[in-house]
Amino acid sequence: MSQAYPGQADWHPSFIIIGAVKAATTWALEQLQVNPALYMPDPEPHYFSSEFDRGEDYYRAYFEAQVGSGRMLGEKSADYLAHPDAPQRIANMLPHARLVVQFRNPVERAYSDYKMLYRRGTVKEGPEAYLASLDNPQPRFLNDGLYAQHMRRWLDHFPTDQIHAFLYDDVKAQPKATVEAISHHIGVDPVFDIGQSRKKANNASERFLPLPVRKVLAPLKSTIAPLRGHPLFESTRGFFAREIAYPPLSPQLRLRLRDFYAEDVEQLGKLLGRDLSAWLRDEPRDAQNSRGEREHSKVA
C-alpha cells in the first residue's frame, strides 16, 4: 500500500513512468502490471501533457475503480519526459510521486520514432526530411532525445531520490535486475515474469498488418489486446502481417545526428554517473550493453 501524504487523494497515483518515447516504456509497464500489488492502466493517460485541458475528472477515471483495492496506483505516459509543462503539473498535484525514466541511444530513438509514424502513415518522406534539423513538421523526433535538457526541468521540481533512471540497454542485458530496481524504487516487492519478457522480445518484430487494416482495427485496440499471444490470433496476424520497407537512415545522416546529440549525451552521462560515449560510436550493441557501467542509476 502506498504511503499517504498530506493533500494526496486516495485515487492519486504513487508513481509514474515518464518516458522516453521508444525507450521500452511499454516493456516496463507490462512487467509492472504482472505484480499483483500494483495497478497501472493500459492506455497512456497523457493527462499532464496533451490531455491536461480535459480536467481532473478525466484523470481520476483511470484510477477510481481501484480505490480500496489495496494496490499501489501508477501510470505510464511516455511523452511526459519531453513535455515542457509536465514536471510543474505533476509537482503541483503529486509532489511525492516516485518517477521512473528510461533512456535509449538518442540516434536510435529518433529513427525508431520516425519509423513508428511512417508505418502509421503520419509521415511519408524519408528520414532526411525530419531528422536533419529541428525545423521540420515533426520536431519531436529530434527534440525528445535531448534527455539532459529535459531532465534539468524535472530536477527543478523533484529531488533526485524520487527519480529512478535506467537505459534501454539495461532492459536487454539485465531485465530481471531492471524490474527489481524499479520495484524497489517505487516501494513494492519485485515480481519478474520471464515469459512476459520473452513474449515482448518475440513480438518486437518489423512485421505489421497493412496500414488500411490497422486503421480499421484501431477503434478495437482495447478489445483485441487480450487476444495477443493466443496461438490462433498470432497465426492469423502472422498470415497477413508484412515487413515494412522503411526508408533507411543513411550513414551521413547518422553522423549528423551524433553531432547533434553529442553535448547532450555528455551532460546526461554526468547526471546519471554513467559512461554513455558508446552511443556516439560505431560499436555492436552487445558491446555497448557489456560495458562496465553502474547497473542502475539514480539521477545524481
Side-chain angles (χ1 to χ4, degrees), residues 17 23-33 76 102 166-168 170-172 174-180 182 192-194 196-201:
I17 298 175
T25 58
T26 299
W27 178 89
L29 168 71
E30 292 176 346
Q31 280 294 333
L32 292 177
Q33 285 177 324
K76 185 268 282 193
Q102 51 246 63
F166 66 97
L167 305 185
Y168 183 90
D170 298 332
V171 171
K172 292 192 170 186
Q174 301 179 10
K176 185 173 184 289
T178 301
V179 172
E180 289 172 348
I182 297 171
F192 177 70
D193 186 339
I194 185 64
Q196 180 70 31
S197 187
R198 286 172 176 166
K199 182 178 77 172
K200 186 65 178 175

Side-chain angles (χ1 to χ4, degrees), residues 251-283:
Q252 295 81 5
L253 184 54
R254 182 177 293 275
L255 288 173
R256 187 168 180 172
L257 286 168
R258 288 177 183 170
D259 289 342
F260 177 80
Y261 286 119
E263 182 177 351
D264 192 84
V265 167
E266 180 182 357
Q267 294 301 313
L268 180 67
K270 292 177 180 177
L271 286 174
L272 301 183
R274 298 187 68 159
D275 178 9
L276 303 178
S277 59
W279 280 356
L280 304 174
R281 293 198 299 269
D282 278 319
E283 207 173 78

Side-chain angles (χ1 to χ4, degrees), residues 81-146:
L81 174 63
H83 195 281
D85 299 320
Q88 178 71 72
R89 290 169 175 175
I90 294 176
N92 288 344
M93 178 187 281
L94 307 170
H96 303 290
R98 311 293 283 182
L99 305 178
V100 177
V101 58
Q102 51 246 63
F103 303 107
R104 181 182 183 181
N105 180 323
V107 176
E108 300 298 334
R109 195 223 69 82
Y111 184 49
S112 180
D113 202 13
Y114 160 80
K115 290 198 296 182
M116 180 174 69
L117 293 197
Y118 182 87
R119 63 178 172 263
R120 290 178 181 176
T122 305
V123 302
K124 303 181 185 302
E125 299 180 71
E128 289 76 9
Y130 305 97
L131 303 183
S133 78
L134 283 167
D135 184 18
N136 74 80
Q138 295 290 341
R140 76 178 227 184
F141 293 155
L142 293 179
N143 179 68
D144 283 17
L146 293 169

Side-chain angles (χ1 to χ4, degrees), residues 31-90:
Q31 280 294 333
L32 292 177
Q33 285 177 324
V34 171
N35 193 327
L38 302 175
Y39 173 76
M40 300 180 72
D42 278 322
E44 297 190 14
H46 299 293
Y47 173 63
F48 298 105
S49 52
S50 60
E51 306 301 320
F52 192 69
D53 289 342
R54 299 181 69 170
E56 193 171 297
D57 287 345
Y58 161 81
Y59 195 46
R60 182 188 296 114
Y62 280 92
F63 307 104
E64 59 185 353
Q66 292 295 319
V67 172
S69 68
R71 304 169 81 184
M72 182 184 292
L73 308 180
E75 67 124 317
K76 185 268 282 193
S77 294
D79 63 338
Y80 287 167
L81 174 63
H83 195 281
D85 299 320
Q88 178 71 72
R89 290 169 175 175
I90 294 176

